[in-house]
Amino acid sequence: MSNRMAIALYQPDIPGNTGTIIRLAACLGCSVEIIEPAGFDLTDRALKRAGMDYVERAALNRHLNFETFDAWRESEQRRLVLLTTAADEDYADCEFRADDILLFGRESAGVPKDVHERADIRLTIPMQAGVRSLNVAMASAIVCGEAMRQLRHAR
């Protein structure tokens, strides 16, 4: 079982966001789990531009679909933490674990109900009334930063 936190992206739509998350993960020591199909070619220039030289430095894993990802996750006995606007628990109230997998949905549609139900924990980032959602790269930075703060403080 891995003790490296992971950021999982469910069928990402936007290469620039994915590249930014890859860069974030490379800098923080997280892995990135891409759950296919992506809405773009993972060799896309925009992905490489956004991720810069961090694409080569990141621990990047691709999963054919959610079923293969979830089977891998269960074999590793890792907790799946879904970030969603359809949750009531504030991300800052969660006690993160070093081997958590932070799952972020598609920019255009989030995750389907069956994926939502497979999550061990569902968290949200509180926002002002009248706004729809944060950019997925921003959301991943906020939550991953809090998780890392907690884990480093716990040492």
Side-chain angles (χ1 to χ4, degrees):
M1 180 166 65
S2 172
N3 64 353
R4 173 188 283 198
M5 184 163 286
I7 298 170
L9 303 177
Y10 180 85
Q11 300 180 355
D13 291 333
I14 302 173
N17 286 339
T18 302
T20 300
I21 291 167
I22 289 170
R23 184 175 184 170
L24 171 73
C27 290
L28 296 182
C30 301
S31 69
V32 177
E33 309 297 325
I34 305 281
I35 302 166
E36 303 267 5
F40 55 91
D41 183 352
L42 288 175
T43 61
D44 187 280
R45 272 185 37 193
L47 173 64
K48 289 185 177 180
R49 187 178 328 117
M52 297 170 56
D53 59 342
Y54 293 90
V55 172
E56 288 80 28
R57 299 184 62 134
L60 181 62
N61 303 300
R62 293 170 59 183
H63 304 271
L64 183 61
N65 53 41
F66 183 77
E67 291 73 26
T68 59
F69 163 80
D70 205 39
W72 164 79
R73 174 190 73 87
E74 287 181 351
S75 75
E76 294 282 315
Q77 300 176 357
R78 295 177 71 176
R79 189 169 71 164
L80 186 61
V81 180
L82 174 64
L83 278 295
T84 174
T85 57
D88 295 322
E89 186 178 349
D90 186 324
Y91 79 98
D93 294 332
C94 180
E95 290 185 32
F96 291 98
R97 299 179 190 165
D99 65 345
D100 279 343
I101 299 173
L102 307 176
L103 176 62
F104 296 87
R106 296 182 78 174
E107 292 91 343
S108 62
V111 299
K113 184 178 180 181
D114 63 314
V115 171
H116 199 278
E117 291 170 354
R118 295 300 313 251
D120 298 302
I121 298 175
R122 291 162 212 66
L123 303 174
T124 193
I125 300 170
M127 295 181 289
Q128 297 295 308
V131 295
R132 192 179 67 227
S133 65
L134 287 164
N135 171 288
V136 70
M138 294 296 294
S140 64
I142 290 168
V143 177
C144 196
E146 171 59 17
M148 293 294 175
R149 183 197 68 78
Q150 286 183 21
L151 295 169
R152 288 194 176 119
H153 188 289
R155 284 192 229 167

